[in-house]
């Protein structure tokens, strides 16, 4: 008998079904292969989870209708991971398997499996010598020990080379490795570093934009054990790596790691979970640090991998903020000017030395929230600490009043907890004419633009020039930038977003790390702001610890777990009426939600907050309601998302 998970997107059918294996298929059907079965009168696809001699159905079993392929593309480890991910995020196994296993391409399966290359020699630990515990991490990866680290990379670090060295260490011990990066540009750099350090044929690259045939062929190389190292973007977190010894993720704070499809799992959390299930080494690496990574360190699950302060000072650029006293004395308008005299001087000096200057401006299109008019701190609700925004009053000619975007309570009065100001202002949004403004300010220097609309530049040559880039689109400069200007800071710091502080620091540090050692970085923000202080001292761990402590006090993730429920008011009322939420669950809302593409009518959203220890109970309760509603064929769908990045 074969235990089969059928590809049917119904929550109440999220389990395996037993089918008899016909005699003519007995020698070919194996665990992990693709089959077709008759289900509810239709032929549907499925995966064989296991073969067994005992059935729990208590009835005569229907036979398998067709063996699509005898290739075992769903390994037992990935099947167990997919089931665990579905349970933790309140989804279904079928949803996860759609992310984990690419569509079949018959031509790729006809190729004979290649022999894996011989293991390489252990890597010289010189690349990690600047980090006190770096050589020990390499040794643990080579020996197959489950070492876990949160790595804060030094400014200017060749992080693709370091990650490739970790993969080489795992390979030298006969183990596999899996590395996930945010986007194709990072993947190009990582692939180049791996090609220079790993044996030919020992690794494959899983790209989201690859042709289906190429992607499936590389997937099979990993599933067959021909290539024991997998490099890829978000979906590669489920890759079937043989003898997994190491998982790593670069820049875990990038929102591209968050899966936009159900069950909406984050690649970092999937890899951490996979490291636990497989008892392998794990590295969460970035230039900055998220609150989630800080929680891994605080809990003892992982240890810090950081350089000492002397090493940091030798390679870090000099960071200057506009709020410093001597700069205000020189330029009293520095607080309000978009390009004050300090930025002018630094840029002119770098251009005069023949080096490029990076100018980072926020991405256009952020939804403006509200902040304190005096200190510009994000305005929050006095009841649930959610962000304040502008909500229109019902009725013709209604006024627009501040209200919480989480619990919808109006904020008739406001008192800033930081400076005791009582007035609100709209948060600043980025400008679109930065390149033109700089061209007029520096008429002798060429200006290049990197970002959406104008195209993302992978790199720029050395030489005097101004490079204007949006966050995440900063090109690498040959020899490094001589200076970097971080403009329109309040467009980032003033966002009504839980992660505004850590996200701002991440974007600033990713830009500043492209500046050569002892170059200059100017940030157009008040030097007293905690995020600016973390950048000036180059201490992302301090800010991440502070963020984690603040969120724990206010009941925010990752100290708690949250679920966002979206749907029509009637559907949400029915859903919540049937849900058996944990006793400690805190229900926030409802708040209006704009309709999604293809959806009409009024929509609302609730947030459900529980202590972290009750996260699995919350996921189970929400999945049960989805199953009941699916079995009853309720026409109105309620969108359930656990641990959403955006709580606004």
């Amino acid at each position: 008998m074969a235990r089969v998970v059928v590809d049917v997107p119904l929550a109440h059918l999220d389990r395996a079904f037993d089918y008899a294996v016909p005699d003519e298929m007995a020698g070919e059907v194996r665990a992990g292969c693709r089959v077709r079965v008759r289900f509810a009168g239709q032929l549907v696809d499925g995966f064989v989870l296991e073969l067994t001699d005992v059935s729990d159905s208590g009835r005569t079993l229907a036979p398998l209708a067709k063996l699509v392929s005898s290739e075992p593309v769903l390994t037992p480890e990935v099947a167990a991971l997919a089931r665990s991910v579905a349970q933790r995020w309140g989804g279904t196994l079928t949803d996860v398997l759609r992310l984990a296993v690419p569509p079949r391409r018959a031509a790729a399966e006809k190729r004979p499996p290649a022999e894996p290359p011989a293991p390489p020699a252990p890597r010289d630990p010189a690349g990690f010598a600047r980090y006190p515990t770096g050589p020990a991490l390499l040794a643990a990866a080579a020996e197959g020990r489950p070492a876990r680290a949160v790595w804060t990379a030094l400014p200017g670090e060749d992080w693709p080379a370091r990650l490739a060295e970790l993969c080489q260490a795992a390979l030298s011990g006969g183990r596999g490795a899996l590395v996930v990066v945010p986007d194709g540009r990072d993947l190009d750099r990582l692939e180049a570093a791996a090609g220079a350090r790993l044996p030919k044929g020992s690794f494959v690259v899983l790209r989201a934009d690859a042709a289906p045939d190429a992607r499936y062929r590389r997937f099979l190389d990993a599933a067959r054990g021909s290539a024991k190292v997998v490099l890829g973007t978000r979906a590669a977190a489920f890759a079937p790596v043989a003898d997994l010894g190491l998982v790593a993720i670069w820049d875990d704070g990038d929102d591209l790691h968050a899966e936009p499809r159900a069950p909406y799992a984050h690649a970092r959390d999937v890899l951490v979970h996979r490291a636990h299930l497989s008892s392998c080494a794990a590295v969460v690496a970035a230039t900055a640090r998220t609150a989630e990574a800080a929680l891994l360190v605080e809990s003892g699950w992982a240890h810090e991998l950081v350089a000492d302060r002397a090493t940091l000072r030798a390679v870090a650029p000099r960071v200057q903020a506009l709020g410093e006293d001597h700069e205000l004395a020189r330029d009293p308008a520095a607080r309000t000017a978009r390009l004050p005299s300090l930025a002018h001087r630094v840029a002119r000096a770098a251009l005069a030395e023949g080096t490029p200057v990076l100018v980072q401006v926020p991405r256009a299109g952020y939804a403006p929230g509200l902040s304190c008019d005096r200190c510009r701190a994000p305005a929050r609700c006095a009841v649930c600490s959610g962000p304040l925004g502008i909500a229109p009053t019902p009725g013709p000619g209604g006024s627009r009043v501040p209200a919480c975007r989480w619990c919808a309570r109006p904020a008739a009065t406001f008192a800033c907890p930081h400076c005791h100001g009582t007035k609100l202002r709209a948060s600043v949004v980025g400008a679109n004419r930065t390149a033109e403004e700089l061209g007029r300010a520096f008429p002798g220097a060429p200006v290049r633009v990197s970002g959406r609309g104008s195209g993302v530049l992978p790199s720029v040559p050395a030489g005097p020039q101004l490079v204007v880039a949006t966050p995440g689109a900063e090109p690498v400069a040959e020899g490094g930038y001589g200076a970097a200007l971080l403009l329109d800071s309040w467009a980032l710091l003033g966002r009504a977003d839980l992660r505004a502080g850590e996200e701002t620091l991440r974007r600033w540090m990713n830009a500043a790390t492209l500046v050569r050692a002892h170059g200059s970085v100017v940030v157009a923000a008040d030097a007293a702001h905690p995020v600016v202080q973390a950048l000036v001292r180059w201490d992302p761990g301090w800010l991440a610890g502070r963020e984690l402590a603040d969120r724990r006090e206010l009941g925010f993730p990752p100290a708690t777990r949250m679920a966002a429920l979206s749907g029509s008011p009637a559907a949400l009322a029915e859903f919540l009426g049937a849900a058996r939420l944990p006793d400690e669950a805190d229900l926030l809302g409802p708040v209006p939600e704009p309709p999604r593409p293809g959806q009409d009518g009024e929509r609302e959203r609730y947030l459900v907050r529980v202590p972290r220890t009750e996260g699995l109970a919350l996921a189970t309760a929400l999945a049960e309601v989805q199953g009941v509603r699916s079995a009853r064929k309720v026409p109105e769908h309620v969108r359930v998302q656990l641990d959403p990045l955006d709580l606004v």
Side-chain angles (χ1 to χ4, degrees):
M1 289 166 286
R3 194 150 288 158
V4 179
V5 55
V6 294
D7 188 8
V8 177
L10 297 174
H12 69 287
L13 300 176
D14 185 29
R15 59 187 179 89
F17 296 87
D18 291 343
Y19 285 85
V21 179
D23 293 340
E24 60 272 18
M25 300 183 189
E28 297 181 87
V29 174
R30 64 188 73 179
C33 71
R34 303 177 195 257
V35 295
R36 286 180 68 82
V37 297
R38 189 160 295 279
F39 190 87
Q42 296 181 334
L43 284 176
V44 298
D45 295 324
F47 293 99
V48 175
L49 293 181
E50 61 176 334
L51 298 175
T52 178
D53 295 329
V54 179
S55 174
D56 300 329
S57 64
R59 59 179 176 80
T60 302
L61 300 181
L64 297 176
K66 180 181 179 181
L67 175 63
V68 177
S69 170
S70 60
E71 188 79 41
V73 292
L74 180 61
T75 64
E77 182 205 6
V78 174
L81 173 66
R83 171 55 70 188
S84 186
V85 167
Q87 292 173 346
R88 189 182 188 279
W89 276 274
T92 64
L93 178 59
T94 300
D95 285 338
V96 182
L97 292 182
R98 289 197 186 110
L99 304 175
V101 184
R104 177 176 180 256
R105 291 292 184 270
E109 293 183 351
K110 296 177 181 178
R111 294 186 311 116
E115 287 293 326
R123 183 69 187 178
D124 183 354
F128 277 97
R130 296 189 295 175
Y131 307 89
T133 57
L137 176 63
L138 279 176
E143 296 167 8
R145 291 185 279 116
R148 280 78 185 258
V150 172
W151 173 33
T152 303
L154 283 166
E157 179 66 89
D158 187 3
W159 60 265
R162 302 291 86 77
L163 292 177
E165 289 166 5
L166 284 170
C167 294
Q168 181 176 349
L171 275 178
S172 68
R175 306 289 294 271
L178 169 60
V179 183
V180 175
V181 296
D183 55 36
R185 287 202 312 147
D186 291 333
L187 194 55
D188 290 339
R189 296 182 62 188
L190 183 60
E191 181 180 6
R197 290 164 177 81
L198 304 183
K200 184 178 180 180
S202 64
F203 71 94
V204 292
V205 178
L206 298 183
R207 295 179 173 276
D209 57 351
D213 289 343
R215 182 175 177 84
Y216 190 61
R217 183 174 66 252
R218 296 166 186 170
F219 174 87
L220 286 182
D221 287 340
R224 293 169 172 177
S226 302
K228 301 188 72 171
V229 174
V230 173
L231 316 174
T233 49
R234 187 175 57 228
F238 298 97
V241 180
D243 301 318
L244 186 63
L246 169 74
V247 296
I249 183 169
W250 172 254
D251 202 6
D252 66 297
D254 196 311
D255 57 8
L256 292 176
H257 285 304
E259 177 57 57
R261 294 166 290 184
Y264 314 107
H266 195 285
R268 174 197 56 241
D269 300 328
V270 172
L271 292 179
V272 166
H273 200 55
R274 187 168 186 177
H276 170 71
L277 294 177
S278 301
S279 188
C280 68
V283 177
V284 178
T287 302
R289 185 178 300 182
T290 60
E292 286 78 7
L295 182 62
L296 294 176
V297 174
E298 182 185 271
S299 66
W301 191 87
H303 298 281
E304 286 186 312
L305 181 64
V306 296
D308 57 46
R309 299 302 296 181
T311 303
L312 176 62
R313 284 192 293 268
V315 298
R318 181 192 178 197
V319 181
Q320 303 175 76
L322 299 183
E324 296 175 351
D325 293 339
H326 65 280
E327 281 302 324
L328 291 178
R330 182 194 295 262
D331 183 7
R335 288 188 186 275
T336 57
R338 185 159 189 255
L339 194 66
S341 60
L342 173 62
H344 269 279
R345 294 198 309 272
V346 167
R348 289 192 184 280
L351 292 173
E353 294 175 359
T355 59
V357 176
L358 174 64
V359 182
Q360 186 196 68
V361 293
R363 184 179 294 115
Y366 287 130
L370 295 177
S371 59
C372 175
D373 184 64
R374 180 184 297 175
C375 70
R376 296 189 179 181
R380 296 200 171 274
C381 175
V383 178
C384 72
S385 298
L388 294 184
I390 295 294
T393 301
S399 62
R400 297 172 66 83
V401 298
C404 179
R405 293 184 177 181
W406 287 6
C407 68
R409 289 180 175 88
T413 60
F414 171 76
C416 178
H418 305 285
C419 70
H420 307 293
T422 58
K423 294 183 179 180
L424 293 168
R425 60 170 291 157
S427 299
V428 182
V429 295
N432 297 323
R433 297 186 48 137
T434 302
E436 290 82 353
E437 293 173 0
L438 291 174
R440 291 191 294 267
F442 302 94
V447 180
R448 309 182 69 178
V449 180
S450 177
R452 187 174 59 183
S454 57
V456 177
L457 303 175
S459 62
V460 293
Q465 59 187 308
L466 291 162
V467 180
V468 181
T470 53
E474 301 92 345
V476 178
E478 182 181 350
Y481 291 97
L485 311 180
L486 310 177
L487 304 184
D488 299 339
S489 60
W490 291 110
L492 298 175
L493 291 173
R495 289 187 300 149
D497 189 284
L498 173 67
R499 304 174 186 274
E502 74 172 31
E503 176 67 6
T504 299
L505 182 63
R506 185 186 75 84
R507 294 181 174 189
W508 284 350
M509 295 189 79
N510 284 351
T513 194
L514 299 176
V515 178
R516 61 182 57 183
H518 307 300
S520 296
V521 175
V522 176
V523 53
D526 189 346
H529 196 287
V531 177
V532 180
Q533 281 296 303
L535 178 65
V536 170
R537 301 202 307 262
W538 206 274
D539 193 357
W542 169 79
L543 183 70
R546 177 189 172 112
E547 284 277 327
L548 180 59
D550 289 345
R551 294 187 199 178
R552 180 176 288 112
E553 182 178 351
L554 297 173
F556 290 165
T560 61
R561 291 200 68 191
M562 276 192 174
L565 313 179
S566 305
S568 68
L572 285 172
E574 180 185 358
F575 188 100
L576 292 171
R580 295 182 293 180
L581 299 176
D583 294 337
E584 298 184 65
D586 187 13
L587 190 63
L588 305 174
V591 294
E593 183 182 71
R596 296 179 178 275
Q599 296 175 334
D600 298 320
E602 182 183 1
R603 291 182 62 83
E604 294 179 342
R605 189 202 63 190
Y606 281 92
L607 292 177
V608 185
R609 174 168 55 189
V610 298
R612 192 165 185 85
T613 54
E614 296 293 327
L616 184 58
L618 174 63
T620 301
L622 298 178
E624 286 178 352
V625 180
Q626 292 283 57
V628 171
R629 289 171 57 82
S630 173
R632 292 172 50 200
K633 299 182 180 179
V634 176
E636 292 189 72
H637 175 68
V638 172
R639 185 175 186 264
V640 176
Q641 183 176 5
L642 271 81
D643 303 329
L645 284 182
D646 185 9
L647 296 178
V648 177

